[in-house]
Amino acid sequence: MPAEAATRGAMILAAGRGERLRPLTDHLPKPLVPVAGRPLIEYHLYALAAAGFDQVVINVAWLADRITTALGDGDRFGLRIHYSVETPGALDTGGGIRHALPLLPDAPFLVINGDVYTDFDFRQLTRPVAEDDLARLVLVPNPAHHPDGDFALVGDRVRQGVSSEPRHTFAGIGVYRPALFEGDRSARFGLGQALQPAIEANRVEGVRFDGRWHDVGRPATLAELGGPPIRAPE
């Protein structure tokens, strides 16, 4: 059987501007928006510590100093936090991950979107990644605001999907090999640009999750979860 590599290291994507939550996010970075009485990003940090991770990279750009001041070195979460600092709006998701690679292990690592709220157990993603795979994605049932989904799941293989295959929504949670981000690309690129050729080459595993998952980057979802009101600009 092919050798496998266990997941090591984790990253939280927290550099976004949070345009849909303006004007709330004009002065408060989206990862620090409170949900059920706690800054959103803290749920991820405590969950990562509970899953056995001890090192976490967080990329920051918009209001970066607010995030670094609020979270510090990670000691109170039982973690060691390293910050990958970007110019606001410069790198997008794929570029942000590639920019952070020097802070991540040269092995499969976990990445979480900072604007999702979930009870997913990250221990499920610490199992080894098959040698030929470049990524493992978590897929969830399609929410009302995204009824067409993103990818099909055939067995444990992620596909772009055809009309006859049910599609699921990418949860913003995945495990990636550093090699996924290699290649001749501009500094700014989306994660989807890196994933597409890997999916076409049948090198992406999928895991379906039917538990609690919400996209908190949307005003309606934030209100549903008891977040602060988003007032119109004066």
Side-chain angles (χ1 to χ4, degrees):
M1 294 180 63
E4 297 185 326
T7 302
R8 295 173 50 208
M11 179 176 182
I12 301 175
L13 297 177
R17 174 65 176 80
E19 291 287 350
R20 290 180 298 184
L21 297 184
R22 294 185 66 191
L24 177 64
T25 50
D26 286 346
H27 307 288
L28 182 67
K30 184 166 56 172
L32 297 185
V33 169
V35 173
R38 173 179 289 172
L40 178 59
I41 197 170
E42 290 192 5
Y43 290 98
H44 294 327
L45 293 172
Y46 283 118
L48 287 168
F53 291 89
D54 58 8
Q55 305 277 330
V56 177
V57 174
I58 301 175
N59 71 331
V60 293
W62 176 249
L63 299 177
D65 59 330
R66 293 287 302 272
I67 297 175
T68 57
T69 298
L71 304 180
D73 63 5
D75 183 66
R76 66 188 173 94
F77 306 103
L79 298 166
R80 177 64 179 170
I81 295 176
H82 306 275
Y83 295 98
S84 177
V85 181
E86 304 173 12
T87 302
L91 298 179
D92 206 342
T93 50
I97 295 170
R98 182 165 68 178
H99 182 71
L101 287 179
L103 300 174
L104 290 160
D106 186 21
F109 54 87
L110 171 64
V111 178
I112 309 160
N113 284 6
D115 58 359
V116 299
Y117 178 63
T118 181
D119 61 2
F120 182 80
D121 185 349
F122 296 124
R123 285 176 294 188
Q124 296 183 47
L125 297 180
T126 59
R127 63 181 174 82
V129 175
E131 182 181 47
D132 291 338
D133 282 349
L134 289 171
R136 174 184 294 145
L137 305 184
V138 177
L139 306 180
V140 297
N142 299 329
H145 67 267
H146 192 54
D148 295 331
D150 298 305
F151 304 113
L153 187 59
V154 181
D156 69 349
R157 297 290 93 187
V158 172
R159 311 286 194 199
Q160 294 291 350
V162 296
S163 59
S164 61
E165 295 173 339
R167 293 164 64 88
H168 311 279
T169 291
F170 173 47
I173 304 170
V175 174
Y176 310 106
R177 288 187 182 275
L180 181 71
F181 303 94
E182 296 175 352
D184 185 16
R185 295 190 180 93
S186 63
R188 176 183 172 86
F189 65 95
L191 176 59
Q193 292 174 255
L195 284 172
Q196 183 175 348
I199 291 172
E200 292 174 351
N202 196 33
R203 300 184 69 184
V204 178
E205 180 188 358
V207 176
R208 180 180 165 107
F209 174 63
D210 293 307
R212 192 174 194 188
W213 179 90
H214 300 279
D215 174 5
V216 186
R218 306 181 63 82
T221 306
L222 181 60
E224 176 188 343
L225 295 173
I230 301 172
R231 299 180 179 89
E234 297 181 358

